[in-house]
Amino acid sequence: LVVSKQSVAWSFVTMASLSVASIPYLYATRHGKFITTLSITSAYPLAALVIGSVMFGEAIRARQLAGMLMIVIGTIIVNKD
């Protein structure tokens, strides 16, 4: 098994990013409304589509756009008081 230094470096960057991102998530689940935190963090496919489109020029198809709209509408409905 040969592992490049670049792969190891990216692994550490990923672990550090995950560690840093976990802090506000854990704070929000402990001190905020859990359902709000859960529904917003479950919308990560939305962020992945936007980042893929902006950074890598990937096209967003009609089916994906419909999915993005459902995520937003579902988040609003679930968090409505």
Side-chain angles (χ1 to χ4, degrees), residues 9-52:
W10 277 113
S11 295
F12 280 110
V13 168
T14 302
M15 287 187 293
S17 299
L18 181 59
S19 298
V20 170
S22 293
I23 294 169
Y25 173 75
L26 292 173
Y27 181 85
T29 56
R30 196 150 187 84
H31 299 289
K33 288 174 60 178
F34 185 75
I35 191 67
T36 301
T37 304
L38 182 65
S39 62
I40 291 172
T41 56
S42 295
Y44 71 89
L46 177 69
L49 281 171
V50 172
I51 290 170

Side-chain angles (χ1 to χ4, degrees), residues 47-61 64:
L49 281 171
V50 172
I51 290 170
S53 177
V54 172
M55 292 183 68
F56 303 112
E58 300 228 2
I60 297 178
R61 295 175 177 79
Q64 294 167 323

Side-chain angles (χ1 to χ4, degrees), residues 5 21-22 26 63 66 72 74 77:
K5 289 181 181 179
S22 293
L26 292 173
R63 182 182 288 178
V72 171
I77 290 171

